[in-house]
Amino acid sequence: MLHDGLTSPRDGVSSPHDSPHTSPYDGRPSPHHGSPHGALPALLGELARLAELPLERGETLPARVYTSEDFHELEKDRIFGSDWICVGHVSQVAAPGDYLRTDDLGRPLVITRDENGDLHALSRVCRHRFMDVLPPETTPDQGSLKRLTCPYHTWTYRLNGEFAGQLAGAPLMNKVEFDRAACRLPRYRLEVWHGLLMVSADPDAAPLAPQLSALEATVAPYGIEDLDVGFTARWDGVPANWKVAFENGSENYHHMGSHADTLERILPGKDTVVDECEGRGFSMHTPFAPDMEIPQGPDGMDLVGTLIPGLGMRQLSGMTVAGVFPNMVMALMPDSVAFARWIPRGPGAHDAVFTVLVPAEAKQRPGYDAYVEASRQQIEVIQAEDVVAVRGVQRGLATDPAPSGGRFSHLERPLWQFQRYLAERLAGVGAVTS
């Protein structure tokens, strides 16, 4: 990630280290922010109406879409409970026996790699008494193991090949009727798309890769599958709906406001060109400011990372942003790829997770530690600025305001596209195609 010498996080934000229209929804305030009886169908009707508007007449979603408990429950079922969700990168499970714990789908899962190099997505819920076999209180987010062992009653599960998730041992169960062969951890659909681990809880979900064919030419030059994780930063319990944060991360229009003294100096939002994508992915490109200064460390050396090999002039000249609905956005830079995910923790809160990928050879170069620290500080500062924005938007939404009457900028095309995705998943309107 290219840096501009940004300072440390602002106070008050936790560090990862420690036009009038007629519609079913009229925008009138309700006495509470849940969905009263009959309100959810009205919200879905309004979502369907908005999804059919052209970009030039696009409108923001009604406030209750971001505050309603009923709407949130529907998202849990029809989006996070059944669609493809990014949970990590292949380098986090690089060797046989490696595992990665994830709760991004709203259920406890673990990604494992077996001795043949194959990846599996398994439930972490023990089939005995439903204990988490990798509790975060006692186990790291990722690591290596030969078998999954439940810490409660020490039931163990195999991780090899077709037997992944099958019960291997259950002590002191010889005096009861018990079909061991039929006992195994549930498995989930898993695809690797350009090195990103994508998981779905729906066994009948359509394959993901064809749905993202429009992004192939944009993403392929960066060789994401060959990069390694440099670091991950996370913010838990940010008090805003996950869609507010995802929408914020899906447009550069706000650079001139939220990031006036940071990103705007490097990547002027007004220069962004948004691609006319369709379906469940979007992309855009912002060239570097012509007078951008290369940041330097205390020793006078440039704090620029190892360039990703094989990039062309377009990739080297700025930042490309590519997003995959519902909740993942990538910032593709000449020396790194950062992918962000916003994970719902209720209608009014989310976790934000940023993972920075770098070329493997970067880790062997002098000054790598300083580069990583500068990258981390930059993300902390930018996230602090974004948290001010998303919290401010959520406070406004909590007042249950009437429809805004505003319009989307051409730079907000991804938000208009996101509405169409939501309408397809939640209201069955239209279809997200590649």
Side-chain angles (χ1 to χ4, degrees):
M1 180 168 294
L2 300 176
H3 314 291
D4 67 345
L6 301 178
T7 56
S8 58
R10 292 183 178 178
D11 294 340
V13 178
S14 61
S15 164
H17 307 300
D18 331 323
S19 78
H21 57 264
T22 301
S23 72
Y25 172 73
D26 63 9
R28 290 176 295 184
S30 64
H32 51 79
H33 300 297
S35 290
H37 180 70
L40 183 58
L43 281 177
L44 295 177
E46 175 67 352
L47 175 60
R49 183 191 72 82
L50 293 174
E52 294 181 351
L53 294 175
L55 175 61
E56 294 75 16
R57 293 195 289 113
E59 303 171 14
T60 57
L61 294 169
R64 292 177 201 169
V65 164
Y66 303 90
T67 60
S68 162
E69 184 69 45
D70 288 348
F71 199 89
H72 171 68
E73 290 298 318
L74 193 65
E75 291 175 340
K76 286 171 58 179
D77 178 36
R78 298 186 184 177
I79 295 179
F80 292 90
S82 57
D83 205 0
W84 292 99
I85 307 297
C86 178
V87 301
H89 184 260
V90 288
S91 65
Q92 295 173 292
V93 280
D98 284 358
Y99 75 86
L100 174 67
R101 182 176 56 219
T102 176
D103 298 285
D104 290 15
L105 277 69
R107 60 192 73 196
L109 303 181
V110 60
I111 312 300
T112 65
R113 189 181 291 275
D114 66 24
E115 68 272 18
N116 295 321
D118 295 326
L119 292 165
H120 307 276
L122 301 172
S123 170
R124 297 202 318 265
V125 180
C126 182
R127 305 307 292 163
H128 177 223
R129 296 260 298 281
F130 311 117
M131 172 69 179
D132 185 345
V133 299
L134 290 170
E137 294 86 352
T138 57
T139 55
D141 290 341
Q142 62 186 84
S144 184
L145 41 76
K146 294 185 181 299
R147 290 184 175 182
L148 285 174
T149 300
C150 178
Y152 199 14
H153 300 98
T154 67
W155 284 32
T156 59
Y157 300 88
R158 301 169 68 176
L159 296 178
N160 51 317
E162 64 180 290
F163 301 107
Q166 188 174 62
L167 185 69
L172 304 179
M173 294 293 292
N174 57 319
K175 295 184 179 182
V176 298
E177 294 182 6
F178 179 41
D179 185 358
R180 295 172 183 246
C183 185
R184 67 187 306 161
L185 300 173
R187 299 172 68 168
Y188 292 81
R189 296 275 301 283
L190 186 150
E191 281 191 29
V192 179
W193 183 74
H194 290 279
L196 298 175
L197 303 169
M198 313 294 291
V199 178
S200 172
D202 181 0
D204 299 318
L208 176 65
Q211 300 179 55
L212 298 176
S213 59
L215 291 182
E216 285 293 321
T218 298
V219 173
Y222 293 88
I224 299 172
E225 62 275 10
D226 297 322
L227 304 180
D228 282 351
V229 171
F231 67 92
T232 295
R234 66 179 300 138
W235 286 259
D236 292 333
V238 179
N241 184 270
W242 70 275
K243 296 187 297 299
V244 174
F246 174 74
E247 290 172 338
N248 178 78
S250 300
E251 49 91 349
N252 293 342
Y253 187 29
H254 73 289
H255 281 197
M256 67 185 70
S258 297
H259 308 301
D261 296 324
T262 52
L263 283 178
E264 181 71 7
R265 294 195 288 113
I266 308 170
L267 297 156
K270 64 180 178 58
D271 296 335
T272 298
V273 176
V274 181
D275 300 323
E276 293 190 6
C277 294
E278 297 292 340
R280 66 175 302 155
F282 66 86
S283 59
M284 65 186 80
H285 181 76
T286 307
F288 293 127
D291 57 349
M292 182 184 71
E293 296 183 3
I294 301 298
Q296 294 183 334
D299 57 0
M301 297 292 291
D302 290 347
L303 283 177
V304 177
T306 303
L307 294 180
I308 296 171
L311 297 182
M313 287 305 299
R314 186 174 191 269
Q315 291 86 27
L316 294 170
S317 67
M319 176 181 70
T320 297
V321 171
V324 176
F325 304 133
N327 71 329
M328 191 268 288
V329 173
M330 293 176 283
L332 304 118
M333 301 285 279
D335 62 341
S336 64
V337 171
F339 65 97
R341 295 166 287 147
W342 294 275
I343 304 155
R345 298 299 181 218
H350 70 271
D351 298 343
V353 183
F354 296 77
T355 302
V356 175
L357 308 171
V358 298
E361 57 268 29
K363 297 182 176 182
Q364 310 304 321
R365 293 188 59 175
Y368 175 72
D369 290 342
Y371 165 74
V372 167
E373 182 57 27
S375 294
R376 192 186 293 274
Q377 288 186 13
Q378 183 184 42
I379 285 181
E380 289 176 356
V381 170
I382 292 169
Q383 172 67 354
E385 294 170 342
D386 280 332
V387 165
V388 172
V390 300
R391 293 185 66 173
V393 169
Q394 192 69 26
R395 283 195 297 271
L397 293 166
T399 67
D400 208 3
S404 70
R407 288 286 184 266
F408 287 133
S409 162
H410 67 282
L411 298 178
E412 294 172 297
R413 179 188 173 93
L415 278 64
W416 169 79
Q417 198 175 335
F418 183 45
Q419 290 182 353
R420 300 167 75 189
Y421 165 84
L422 292 174
E424 191 275 331
R425 295 298 305 185
L426 303 178
V429 174
V432 175
T433 59
S434 61

